[in-house]
Amino acid sequence: MKSVKLAVSAIAIVAATGTTAFARDNIQVAGSSTVLPYASIVAEAFGENFDYPTPVVESGGSSSGLKRFCEGVGENTIDVANASRKIKDKEIATCAENGVTDIMEVRIGYDGIVFASQKDGPAFDAFDPSDIYNALGAKVMKDGQLVDNTYAKWNEFNAALPDADIIAFIPGTKHGTREVFEEKVLEAGCEATGAMEAYVASGMDEKAAAKECMKVRTDGKAVDIDGDYTETLARIGSNPNGIGVFGLAFYENNTDKLKVATMSGVTPSTETIASGDYPVSRPLFFYVKKAHIGQIPGLKEYAEFFVSDDMAGADGPLAQYGLVSDPELAQTQEAVAAETTMNSGM
């Protein structure tokens, strides 16, 4: 990664002074593989521009990071959890049970989820949610009936798609990307194909039907990837028919190996995500344990630096890597400066 040297103006470069209650003096961050490259860029720049140690940033997925975040308060627990989804109510409850009661939710910007394949592979150029659902859903509509999915090739349900074996590498269940994939692609495709209506007609309520819509087939056509996007890229590299689910930024940094498909006729880009035209986008977050501010040197400064114009603004290095800048960034900056927590209105 290229180093980032900044003339930091809005945030004072402050040396750690006095003693702290925790023996640990480095910020510890874990969570989303989507947020990982952004957090790594910020951490490196923070270490270069501030008189604090470079934060330690690990991946593992949104759910894993939030689980570690909610283990408790103290130097043996992480300070920040990165997430490509909002923290769940049950996770907030777990945090509270373990003494993590003051949580700062910080939105850093937006990202899109894209469907990409080998650059020289089959012509996977255009998808609708119904295509992804027909390829990967556990049950699909055939002749007006809801049946187990036995589709083997893409052109069996859409003649415009390639005569290629179905094989898709999708985020594992611990990744925040998986939830967005389920809600904005699988569920939308389930509705579009009539499968949702069929589930409800069978006696299910809408919540139960939506849960069924999010189930994927288990015959090897849909492969969960529990690692980060580099693992998905490697799988596609060894499988010319493979389709992978990636964050937009990762795709844009691997266009020499991948080509991307449109979704519902819209090409994914920072512009189409910012405008709301691209249908599969989501906000990205990190969560700060407020009880660690003042205990772990530089923690608040790190949070402020992350969402500063220098880093997360439209012309900053995160945008250059692929983050879609948040139009409400100024409000986020104010909330972080005020140490606003989720239970106090953030």
Side-chain angles (χ1 to χ4, degrees):
M1 181 187 299
K2 293 183 179 179
S3 63
V4 180
K5 277 289 185 182
L6 302 172
V8 182
S9 55
I11 305 172
I13 299 177
V14 184
T17 59
T19 59
T20 64
F22 296 168
R24 172 165 59 82
D25 64 356
N26 63 318
I27 299 164
Q28 295 186 355
V29 183
S32 167
S33 58
T34 300
V35 180
L36 174 66
Y38 304 125
S40 297
I41 291 169
V42 173
E44 184 175 326
F46 184 79
E48 291 176 349
N49 289 280
F50 288 74
D51 192 17
Y52 296 112
T54 299
V56 176
V57 183
E58 300 175 349
S59 186
S62 300
S63 296
S64 176
L66 287 165
K67 181 179 180 181
R68 291 177 61 186
F69 182 81
C70 290
E71 286 176 349
V73 173
E75 64 186 72
N76 295 323
T77 64
I78 65 172
D79 312 301
V80 178
N82 295 329
S84 57
R85 60 167 175 80
K86 289 180 71 70
I87 190 172
K88 299 176 181 176
D89 289 343
K90 65 180 181 181
E91 290 167 330
I92 294 173
T94 299
C95 270
E97 289 170 3
N98 293 324
V100 183
T101 54
D102 291 324
I103 301 170
M104 295 167 59
E105 180 181 74
V106 183
R107 189 176 64 210
I108 67 169
Y110 292 83
D111 184 37
I113 295 174
V114 307
F115 295 81
S117 57
Q118 266 195 28
K119 196 172 185 70
D120 299 322
F124 295 115
D125 300 323
F127 289 124
D128 286 316
S130 58
D131 295 321
I132 304 301
Y133 182 78
N134 277 327
L136 306 180
K139 291 183 179 292
V140 294
M141 296 298 293
K142 285 187 180 181
D143 300 322
Q145 300 295 317
L146 196 58
V147 298
D148 289 339
N149 193 349
T150 59
Y151 286 129
K153 296 190 174 186
W154 293 89
N155 66 346
E156 290 179 23
F157 53 80
N158 184 344
L161 293 175
D163 179 12
D165 291 337
I166 295 170
I167 179 72
F169 302 102
I170 63 176
T173 55
K174 68 179 181 179
H175 290 286
T177 306
R178 174 61 170 259
E179 295 190 16
V180 182
F181 168 72
E182 289 176 340
E183 293 173 3
K184 295 202 171 185
V185 182
L186 287 181
E187 187 175 347
C190 187
E191 291 182 7
T193 61
M196 171 77 83
E197 184 179 356
Y199 278 124
V200 172
S202 72
M204 294 183 183
D205 60 29
E206 289 191 3
K207 184 176 181 179
K211 188 173 181 180
E212 289 299 313
C213 284
M214 294 177 189
K215 291 182 178 179
V216 297
R217 58 198 299 180
T218 57
D219 58 357
K221 298 293 187 183
V223 180
D224 279 11
I225 300 296
D226 290 326
D228 59 22
Y229 293 134
T230 58
E231 182 179 347
T232 306
L233 181 63
R235 294 291 194 98
I236 287 178
S238 60
N239 192 321
N241 289 332
I243 288 287
V245 178
F246 298 94
L248 174 66
F250 186 91
Y251 159 71
E252 289 186 333
N253 284 277
N254 288 278
T255 54
D256 58 325
K257 305 178 187 72
L258 298 170
K259 64 176 181 291
V260 74
T262 61
M263 179 59 68
S264 301
V266 181
T267 301
S269 67
T270 54
E271 292 77 17
T272 58
I273 291 170
S275 68
D277 292 334
Y278 185 68
V280 196
S281 60
R282 49 29 190 318
L284 303 178
F285 303 89
F286 65 85
Y287 293 87
V288 179
K289 200 173 292 179
K290 185 176 178 179
H292 285 196
I293 292 178
Q295 307 298 318
I296 299 298
L299 179 56
K300 181 176 180 180
E301 289 82 355
Y302 168 80
E304 290 182 306
F305 184 57
F306 202 131
V307 296
S308 67
D309 290 338
D310 286 321
M311 296 306 296
D315 298 319
L318 303 190
Q320 292 172 15
Y321 191 87
L323 183 71
V324 178
S325 184
D326 190 342
E328 298 181 350
L329 187 61
Q331 292 94 311
T332 298
Q333 292 167 349
E334 292 173 3
V336 172
E339 299 179 18
T340 308
T341 60
M342 295 180 71
N343 56 11
S344 62
M346 184 174 179

